[in-house]
Amino acid sequence: MLGFPTPYPEELLYSTIARAGVHAGETSPKRLLDQVFANRKVIATVDLPCHVQALTEQYPEILDLDTQKLISRHTLLPVYAPFLPSERIAKLKQWMVEKSQGATHLASGIAASRVKAKSRLYVCVECLKEQKYRYGECYWQRLWQIPLVKTCPRHGPLNATNIELDGEHRHRFVPVEEAEILSPVDVVAIDNVFSLQAAQLLVVTSNGVSFNQWTSFYKEFANNFGFMNGPKIDHAKIHATVVQFWGATWHKGTGLSPSNTDTSWLKALFRKHRKSFSFAEHIVAVSALSNGALSISDVIARTSSLAENSEPKSQFYNHELCAENQMDEDQVQWNGLLKLNSPKSARQQYPALYARLYRNHHDWLLTIDGFSHSDSVAVNKRVDWEARDRLIARELRYKYEQLSKDLNAPQLSRTFLTHQLDQRATVEKNLYRLPRCSKLLGLYSENTTEYQARRLVRAYLEMKEHHQEIRRWSLLRRAGLSDERMTDSVVELLKEILIEQT
Ligand SMILES: [Zn+2]
């Protein structure tokens, strides 16, 4: 097929194929399959598509788009891969490159999982607007289709569409533009925590983690975060913490509500792993038990680094006092500090405490510091979000005043404004906890007209201040605007300014 489109960032291959049909003006789904795959039986798969080899053949070599890149950047395999043994991933990839007759869904565990794949396609309406503005067309993005993801971390609730993924659409790759966008899905605040964790999986590279490594990780994890009852895992405490963190409303309909029986998946997660658990089960357990402090990408990095046959060091687990009620005063204090600070900043604030721990609890210190990450998603109830909101809002107001006077400042988009803040990561990840900041960002961020108008007015004031003669062309040049680029409202504004002059 000539001129097969290259995928946009985060675009699903499903979507690229749909756009290829639009670009070529191909209205028949069967003929599109013929042209792209030379095979009319290909099923339009969103998450783990096959026949990827046929797609790479559409691209000139110079683009260097091999099957590896297409699979890791434009399918949902990265969501599942870190939780599977490496042999399984190799097999999956092989099937995706060629064909599988549904084997990918069996091998990835999707078919057997408590967490079902989405049965229809979803979108973030605001992201669609941005795509249209940036690329002139829209596309289906990966994050929206991940099971249980209900929000766009930047914009809020996703919207369902009328595109259902079985039945009549089986062999059709439907472009976003053809979809009817339905109402936004119901969400609760904690949904965004899940989305942020799921989004991390899309940027993690993992060659798979073995069952033994996961077994070791969860032993270590229970130990470090105080979920031991003597030498045993405290399953009751784990259960209560998970239920409380996510809340009944969130759990409903996820298929992940842990039961109290001995066969509960949550209990199995802390025993010897004999089968793989889904990404969602890992996210649910890790976020809740670390109170939001551990990111799933940190967990994967940590687990991958564990030795294949690592039986926990008996010295560490038996003699070192780890469970919360057995920690000494210094350890309790350090543990508390890490919930709000990175290890580095805790070290800088409390050097003496750090030195004592280094001397007396060296192994413990290294392990717990390894768990902590300065960028981790902080969902700590002890954070005073209201105070933080006020503080950041003040900074935002100050930055805005400076920037709005600066003729050289670029368009004050939400992203640009956010990036001017000292705590930009906090704001990006927790905007829903910062109502003042959110409101100010909405107020201060400029669209194109506002941006041009600001430049025009600033240029005018500057020229006036320097007693320069104001002509249409000189004003435009100072403002960096041109007739072609000005929006209609700015043209009107310019006219008024010039009339004022005469
Ligand atoms: Zn969005």
Side-chain angles (χ1 to χ4, degrees):
M1 188 168 193
L2 273 178
F4 195 81
T6 40
Y8 290 123
E10 286 305 312
E11 180 176 24
L12 286 161
L13 288 179
Y14 172 98
S15 172
T16 315
I17 299 164
R19 284 194 299 114
V22 175
H23 290 193
E26 184 52 81
T27 50
S28 149
K30 291 276 164 199
R31 277 206 304 271
L32 180 63
L33 293 182
D34 255 347
Q35 289 192 40
V36 180
F37 301 104
N39 177 349
R40 290 189 168 206
K41 292 216 177 74
V42 173
I43 292 168
T45 311
V46 171
D47 49 6
L48 305 175
C50 301
H51 303 279
V52 177
Q53 181 65 38
L55 294 180
T56 56
E57 284 162 14
Q58 304 286 342
Y59 298 114
E61 235 166 75
I62 190 157
L63 287 180
D64 198 23
L65 280 172
D66 55 24
T67 50
Q68 281 296 332
K69 282 185 191 141
L70 290 183
I71 288 175
S72 64
R73 295 177 193 166
H74 302 285
T75 76
L76 293 190
L77 185 65
V79 175
Y80 301 100
F83 311 104
L84 298 171
S86 53
E87 320 80 68
R88 191 98 66 83
I89 300 173
K91 201 83 203 146
L92 263 166
K93 280 187 181 161
Q94 194 191 329
W95 280 322
M96 288 174 76
V97 167
E98 296 154 14
K99 57 184 173 186
S100 82
Q101 319 284 15
T104 54
H105 288 86
L106 286 177
S108 62
I110 296 178
S113 174
R114 273 170 286 273
V115 181
K116 298 288 169 239
K118 285 181 174 169
S119 60
R120 58 174 72 234
L121 289 170
Y122 289 79
V123 293
C124 166
V125 177
E126 291 304 313
C127 283
L128 286 181
K129 283 186 202 161
E130 288 182 12
Q131 293 173 355
K132 185 87 186 170
Y133 181 75
R134 188 172 297 172
Y135 304 109
E137 61 182 333
C138 299
Y139 58 91
W140 301 106
Q141 225 162 289
R142 287 198 290 178
L143 181 69
W144 308 338
Q145 315 312 336
I146 298 178
L148 301 185
V149 168
K150 288 178 164 182
T151 63
C152 161
R154 289 168 52 220
H155 300 117
L158 298 178
N159 288 58
T161 71
N162 67 332
I163 307 302
E164 292 178 37
L165 291 171
D166 39 11
E168 56 164 332
H169 294 298
R170 248 170 94 80
H171 298 286
R172 252 192 93 202
F173 294 86
V174 188
V176 183
E177 269 99 351
E178 263 182 47
E180 186 187 329
I181 294 172
L182 310 173
S183 50
V185 295
D186 287 334
V187 299
V188 284
I190 203 82
D191 267 307
N192 226 33
V193 171
F194 190 87
S195 301
L196 282 164
Q197 293 277 41
Q200 294 207 3
L201 295 175
L202 297 174
V203 290
V204 166
T205 36
S206 165
N207 292 320
V209 178
S210 71
F211 292 161
N212 280 344
Q213 286 171 311
W214 278 121
T215 306
S216 305
F217 168 79
Y218 278 102
K219 270 190 189 160
E220 184 185 87
F221 180 53
N223 243 308
N224 285 313
F225 282 81
F227 289 93
M228 299 298 282
N229 190 356
K232 286 190 172 161
I233 301 275
D234 191 343
H235 287 293
K237 190 173 172 192
I238 289 175
H239 183 272
T241 309
V242 166
V243 170
Q244 202 221 335
F245 182 86
W246 293 97
T249 322
W250 185 86
H251 269 300
K252 214 169 70 189
T254 58
L256 289 180
S257 204
S259 71
N260 264 322
T261 63
D262 214 40
T263 52
S264 143
W265 68 263
L266 189 54
K267 279 187 185 163
L269 192 66
F270 286 86
R271 294 188 181 126
K272 188 171 168 54
H273 286 215
R274 296 173 197 283
K275 63 172 199 66
S276 52
F277 290 83
S278 77
F279 75 98
E281 287 160 330
H282 288 281
I283 289 178
V284 164
V286 162
S287 306
L289 303 186
S290 71
N291 198 14
L294 265 193
S295 72
I296 193 72
S297 52
D298 290 342
V299 168
I300 293 164
R302 172 73 192 152
T303 312
S304 311
S305 76
L306 293 171
E308 181 55 40
N309 288 316
S310 72
E311 276 304 312
K313 271 193 276 169
S314 58
Q315 172 256 338
F316 174 69
Y317 282 97
N318 293 340
H319 305 304
E320 194 80 349
L321 303 177
C322 274
E324 212 157 43
N325 49 3
Q326 293 169 308
M327 288 193 277
D328 74 14
E329 221 170 283
D330 284 347
Q331 287 174 301
V332 170
Q333 194 185 348
W334 190 255
N335 205 18
L337 282 170
L338 289 188
K339 291 190 172 148
L340 295 174
N341 302 279
S342 65
K344 190 177 162 201
S345 110
R347 210 158 56 228
Q348 284 163 348
Q349 293 175 59
Y350 298 89
L353 172 65
Y354 179 78
R356 270 200 311 278
L357 286 166
Y358 194 86
R359 230 175 14 246
N360 302 327
H361 302 284
H362 182 260
D363 281 355
W364 178 89
L365 185 67
L366 292 191
T367 313
I368 196 151
D369 280 6
F371 267 124
S372 185
H373 192 275
S374 56
D375 274 348
S376 56
V377 192
V379 192
N380 200 299
K381 303 221 169 50
R382 268 161 281 190
V383 175
D384 185 345
W385 286 104
E386 210 190 313
R388 199 178 272 201
D389 189 21
R390 265 198 302 274
L391 202 72
I392 302 177
R394 197 182 310 154
E395 189 195 356
L396 182 58
R397 233 173 271 133
Y398 174 76
K399 291 270 158 67
Y400 174 73
E401 277 164 24
Q402 302 299 309
L403 285 164
S404 60
K405 286 181 204 149
D406 182 358
L407 201 50
N408 295 318
Q411 183 169 348
L412 305 179
S413 64
R414 278 179 96 91
T415 318
F416 180 80
L417 286 169
T418 309
H419 281 213
Q420 306 314 305
L421 300 169
D422 290 340
Q423 301 193 46
R424 51 187 270 192
T426 308
V427 177
E428 278 171 343
K429 290 175 180 161
N430 295 284
L431 195 56
Y432 67 103
R433 296 171 185 280
L434 305 166
R436 273 195 186 81
C437 294
S438 172
K439 208 163 175 184
L440 284 182
L441 278 173
L443 204 66
Y444 291 160
S445 60
E446 297 174 324
N447 60 26
T448 311
T449 297
E450 287 161 343
Y451 169 55
Q452 293 182 347
R454 171 167 64 81
R455 297 192 66 88
L456 194 60
V457 172
R458 275 283 134 204
Y460 171 72
L461 292 175
E462 272 183 26
M463 290 174 79
K464 219 158 149 100
E465 206 178 311
H466 294 98
H467 307 290
Q468 288 164 332
E469 192 188 351
I470 295 174
R471 296 276 194 78
R472 191 176 190 279
W473 65 267
S474 61
L475 183 56
L476 281 184
R477 191 160 71 179
R478 172 64 73 94
L481 295 170
S482 69
D483 280 314
E484 299 84 70
R485 280 192 297 170
M486 261 188 296
T487 67
D488 293 347
S489 327
V490 175
V491 172
E492 287 302 311
L493 177 68
L494 177 63
K495 272 189 206 152
E496 275 172 41
I497 289 178
L498 291 171
I499 290 169
E500 202 118 304
Q501 279 308 292
T502 49

